[in-house]
Amino acid sequence: MQDAMKLVVVGAGGRMGQTLIRVIQASEGVTLHAAVERGGSSLIGRDAGELAGLGHIDVAVTDDPLAAFLDADGVIDFTSPQASTEFAALAAQARIVHVIGTTGCLAEHDARIEAASRHARIVKSGNMSLGVNLLSVLVQQAARALDAAGWDIEVLEMHHKHKVDAPSGTALLLGEAAARGRGVDLTSHSVRVRDGHTGARETGSIGFATLRGGSVVGEHSVILAGEGELVTLSHSAGDRSIFARGAVRAALWARGQKPGLYSMLDVLGLSSSI
Ligand SMILES: NC(=O)C1=CN([C@@H]2O[C@H](COP(=O)(O)OP(=O)(O)OC[C@H]3O[C@@H](n4cnc5c(N)ncnc54)[C@H](OP(=O)(O)O)[C@@H]3O)[C@@H](O)[C@H]2O)C=CC1
Ligand SMILES: O=C(O)C1=N[C@H](C(=O)O)C[C@H](O)C1
């Protein structure tokens, strides 16, 4: 049997970082090797278990990611686009698995992450949950079956008030699935904001609407609106552990793969359904 996979959590003090520490401690086949926060953070030196509400686990938070990566098997990263591109380069240097849940990446970040995947095994997804990835397959099928002339597609999302990017990574992932189903490119068909005298809706466009407030973990709906009927496909996240469990599953899966850039659909064996 293989040794437990040694995982580093970067952004250890964040909402997802703390959830990951709890999920890793509760999971078979993985062990928390290190916890990383940015230099200057008041969390450096604190015990990661205490930070996550578990009690002492003898893993002190460090601000030296490369030292942590060199003796690890993988890193799980829910931080920021800039930080994730830097961690991808370090994961490539250490030749380890890098699971990236960070959203809001621009083309320049994605290009750097793709370059790092020549040496690292990277799994990146705007949503690590099983439910959302299954939903994306269903959205693609619905968009293909219900034609653009008769059915308009709108993606609606709501998240907690601290979220900094919009539309959410999940909304974009679902928009991409709808665009694939329609055989069109999302960028040239999406309407990300509406305000003022917008004119009538353009046939075939894919609209996005963003709500923010309170402590909502993540609500997503894809609405297919026809004449006199609506089809709504939706997902509701009750707890951040669904993302953390997906990320751990991705790390274990990627351990056996060649260097490259993979998605959660690859991890879940759903790529052949798209
Ligand atoms: N794909 C998925 O399934 C999911 C994705 N996400 C995404 O994950 C990301 C994080 O979300 P969330 O946990 O809510 O955000 P938080 O702001 O709570 O956590 C981010 C953490 O990363 C830390 N961080 C930022 N830069 C660095 C760095 N250079 N080195 C070390 N640590 C760093 C932050 O530290 P500091 O506070 O000092 O800046 C913070 O502790 C977002 O992009 C979010 O959209 C979230 C949930 C699920
Ligand atoms: O920031 C969050 O919280 C979440 N971010 C991801 C996204 O942008 O879709 C996933 C999840 O919905 C929670």
Side-chain angles (χ1 to χ4, degrees):
M1 215 173 81
Q2 248 184 338
D3 287 344
M5 186 172 186
K6 291 191 278 181
L7 294 177
V8 180
V9 172
V10 291
R15 282 174 286 276
M16 279 305 300
Q18 293 183 40
T19 310
L20 280 158
I21 291 167
R22 290 191 289 273
V23 165
I24 289 169
Q25 286 296 102
S27 300
E28 300 275 327
V30 290
T31 179
L32 184 69
H33 176 69
V36 174
E37 260 297 336
R38 67 164 95 236
S41 163
S42 60
L43 303 176
I44 305 304
R46 290 248 332 252
D47 185 79
E50 284 170 6
L51 194 63
L54 293 174
H56 198 82
I57 58 171
D58 214 18
V59 176
V61 177
T62 169
D63 60 0
D64 187 349
L66 184 56
F69 291 10
L70 284 175
D71 190 34
D73 301 308
V75 49
I76 305 192
D77 172 359
F78 290 69
T79 57
S80 70
Q82 182 60 32
S84 290
T85 54
E86 288 162 16
F87 291 136
L90 298 181
Q93 217 175 310
R95 303 287 198 269
I96 60 174
V97 168
H98 187 190
V99 177
I100 306 177
T102 305
T103 58
C105 290
L106 303 174
E108 71 219 44
H109 301 119
D110 284 330
R112 286 170 62 190
I113 288 168
E114 191 170 354
S117 74
R118 283 201 292 271
H119 299 297
R121 283 150 279 159
I122 300 182
V123 180
K124 182 173 186 287
S125 175
N127 196 301
M128 297 282 172
S129 74
L130 173 58
V132 159
N133 284 281
L134 176 64
L135 181 69
S136 73
V137 174
L138 302 177
V139 166
Q140 181 176 336
Q141 289 171 353
R144 182 179 294 132
L146 302 175
D147 68 285
W151 295 83
D152 301 321
I153 301 179
E154 295 283 311
V155 184
L156 173 66
E157 56 111 334
M158 181 162 187
H159 283 86
H160 54 94
K161 62 185 172 196
H162 304 289
K163 186 160 177 63
V164 294
D165 55 308
S168 69
T170 310
L172 293 170
L173 177 160
L174 294 171
E176 289 286 358
R180 266 199 312 277
R182 287 275 161 90
V184 299
D185 161 62
L186 180 64
T187 309
S188 56
H189 285 74
S190 65
V191 176
R192 310 240 311 219
V193 181
R194 292 191 183 100
D195 187 28
H197 186 88
T198 61
R201 192 180 196 285
E202 197 171 321
T203 300
S205 59
I206 297 174
F208 290 85
T210 300
L211 306 179
R212 292 285 176 266
S215 58
V216 176
V217 175
E219 298 286 320
H220 292 91
S221 295
V222 178
I223 302 166
L224 295 105
E227 288 303 321
E229 55 183 331
L230 290 185
V231 175
T232 305
L233 298 169
S234 64
H235 181 268
S236 189
D239 189 304
R240 288 189 175 82
S241 62
I242 62 171
F243 312 126
R245 286 200 304 271
V248 168
R249 182 169 174 173
L252 285 164
W253 176 87
R255 195 183 192 184
Q257 307 301 317
K258 290 187 297 203
L261 182 55
Y262 302 95
S263 74
M264 269 317 271
L265 292 174
D266 297 318
V267 174
L268 299 170
L270 291 170
S271 316
S272 56
S273 316
I274 64 170

